[in-house]
Amino acid sequence: MIGGNHPPEETPAPKVDGRVAIDTHVADLLHAMLSDISRAKPMGRNLKPEIWKCLFLDAMGHQANWVLSLDGDGVVNTGFRSSRLTVAEMSDMIESLYAFGAEHGVEWSEPAERHAA
């Protein structure tokens, strides 16, 4: 109804396989944070961001499955993917990354204003 005092209808969040799709900003934030952790080399661990992501997913109870790469020079995770996390799970993961980073002196590349929010 035009001109009425009705609140605008909310647009439902897009869904992928029954889960709320994570927006690009959140996915970019996750990958930036994982890169920051990787650069910091906490606990002397020189790991790629993808490996850190698997470690955090494992800490959340999502099992990783590793398969030898085609060239035999590494392994590939074929287990749970972060794109399958719910919004609440993604939020928990990002909070875990912030807590881990604070504990291990990680310097975040994202603007500091976001940490205060």
Side-chain angles (χ1 to χ4, degrees), residues 48-86:
K48 293 180 180 181
E50 301 82 35
I51 303 300
W52 282 108
K53 180 170 68 171
C54 291
L55 291 172
F56 281 97
L57 286 169
D58 178 73
M60 294 174 66
H62 299 290
Q63 185 176 4
N65 297 315
W66 298 97
V67 176
L68 190 61
S69 64
L70 291 175
D71 64 7
D73 194 30
V75 292
V76 177
N77 178 17
T78 61
F80 191 85
R81 304 185 52 83
S82 60
S83 60
R84 294 182 55 210
L85 293 174
T86 65

Side-chain angles (χ1 to χ4, degrees), residues 9-20:
E9 289 186 29
E10 290 187 28
T11 304
K15 297 202 177 219
V16 177
D17 294 330
R19 294 180 176 267
V20 176

Side-chain angles (χ1 to χ4, degrees), residues 77-97:
N77 178 17
T78 61
F80 191 85
R81 304 185 52 83
S82 60
S83 60
R84 294 182 55 210
L85 293 174
T86 65
V87 171
E89 289 170 327
M90 180 64 79
S91 178
D92 289 345
M93 184 165 181
I94 288 173
E95 288 303 316
S96 295
L97 294 173

